[in-house]
Amino acid sequence: MRKTLRTSLALGAVAAMMLAGCSTSERGDGETPTDTGTGTAGSEAPAGFDAGAKIGVSLPQQTSENWVLAEDLFNQGLKDAGFEPMVQFANNGASEQQQQIGAMITSGVKVLIIGAVDGGQLGAQAEEAKKEGITVIAYDRLLTNTKDVDMYIAFDPFRVGELQGDSLLQGLAALKGSGPYNIELLAGSPDDANSAKFFDGAMSKLQPKIDDGTLKILSGQTKFDQVATQGWKAENAQSRFSTIMTANYEKEELHGILSPNDTLARAALTAVDQAGKDYIPVATGQDSEVESVKWVLDGRQYSTIYKDTRELVKESINAVIALQKGEQPQINDTESYDNGVKVVPSFLLEPVVVTKENAKEVYAGDPFVGDLVK
Ligand code: BGC
């Protein structure tokens, strides 16, 4: 059974487990995470640093609105907390991000908060950072295959996938009558460590229904590699769906689309529309992007996920504040996210699934989409 994220476990026990390296490995398909309670990200107190220190925030391409929101929130929030922010996007990809992080290290940042373009390509930079005594925080996306990442702060991506899988099944039952249902799958960019987590979480819900014949995938494309979308680019998802529509849905109806985020959901739904269909498949999404919230309210996109960027940035800045004071940042999970070298101590936030039914309640007061539900 999944426990709540903040069940209690003594701090000492968390630290001892981490020191002994006895955390269990990352969860696999279908497993639910075992949360290990609140604690802190390491066993020794960090050194602390000057109150006005420079803090580096390296963000990936602006492939969804959440990253754009994060830029302003980090700049403002870090300034308000007395730090000197250095926030940059790596719009040209992984090698640009490597250079930017290198420059941040040289300029004397005390903490690096990284939303990786490619989580597997920053090992050398993380190692260099650690040599300089810089704390490395993986933001939203895990850094993989490196021991030099201190903590991970994210809306639990496996949980996001589970919610998407459940929501697709719910939408199909509610809107398309009884099964079997024809669905097609989409996943995010293969270089983003989140993509496989979203997909695995969703498939933990969908695979049993594929196995028992409730769900059919006429394209036959069921593996992550077959359904991934390079660069999270809408045009890649749209052209793949156009091809699928022509090849498989001339006569059959496509009932549902598992989409990992809003941008790709709109792309796939557009392909279905452009194929001349007079029906709308049940589609999942993520991020609560303005356009998709409108589509959810209009009934064009069945669901999205709310991951309040303000919360994620706030938790990241809280970690910086703790480190500045020489304290360990809070964590609430030491088991779920194995990066291939170690299980990374994490602070995981709980994502929320949103449909037309609960949109008003969930978005009330949100500065970016709140007005749409007034
Ligand atoms: C984020 C999603 C986002 C996607 C594309 C993922 O790593 O978790 O929120 O939709 O990147 O930008």
Side-chain angles (χ1 to χ4, degrees), residues 63-64 66-67 140-141 192 194 198 232 261 286-287 307:
T63 39
S64 43
N66 52 324
W67 299 111
D140 186 287
R141 300 176 171 179
D192 174 354
N194 276 348
F198 298 147
W232 285 99
N261 82 351
Q286 168 174 206
D287 294 329
K307 303 193 303 185

Side-chain angles (χ1 to χ4, degrees), residues 60-67 116 139-142 152 154-155 157 160 188-189 192-195 198 231-232 260-264 285-287 289 305 307 309 312:
Q61 296 100 335
Q62 294 156 327
T63 39
S64 43
E65 284 169 12
N66 52 324
W67 299 111
Y139 171 86
D140 186 287
R141 300 176 171 179
L142 193 56
Y152 177 42
F155 280 91
V160 167
S189 191
D192 174 354
N194 276 348
S195 300
F198 298 147
W232 285 99
N261 82 351
D262 287 346
T263 306
L264 302 191
Q286 168 174 206
D287 294 329
E289 297 205 65
I305 301 279
K307 303 193 303 185
T309 306
L312 201 55

Side-chain angles (χ1 to χ4, degrees), residues 73 153 155 307-316 349:
L73 291 165
I153 303 183
F155 280 91
K307 303 193 303 185
D308 189 342
T309 306
R310 292 171 301 167
E311 286 297 310
L312 201 55
V313 169
K314 190 181 86 192
E315 290 305 339
S316 306
L349 293 149

Side-chain angles (χ1 to χ4, degrees), residues 8 67 74 82 95 160 162 259 271-272 274 287 308:
S8 61
W67 299 111
F74 270 120
S95 59
V160 167
E162 289 181 321
S259 169
V272 175
Q274 289 183 353
D287 294 329
D308 189 342

Side-chain angles (χ1 to χ4, degrees), residues 97-141:
Q97 188 164 41
Q98 291 169 341
Q99 284 161 19
Q100 284 179 348
I101 292 174
M104 286 177 184
I105 294 170
T106 310
S107 83
V109 299
K110 295 296 179 194
V111 181
L112 268 170
I113 297 171
I114 303 174
V117 174
D118 181 338
Q121 296 294 321
L122 294 173
Q125 286 68 31
E127 188 179 352
E128 184 60 29
K130 294 311 298 172
K131 277 193 205 135
E132 299 297 326
I134 298 167
T135 302
V136 178
I137 299 177
Y139 171 86
D140 186 287
R141 300 176 171 179

Side-chain angles (χ1 to χ4, degrees), residues 249-263:
Y249 296 94
E250 286 288 325
K251 301 209 170 64
E252 300 283 339
E253 182 169 337
L254 174 62
H255 302 113
I257 300 169
L258 173 75
S259 169
N261 82 351
D262 287 346
T263 306

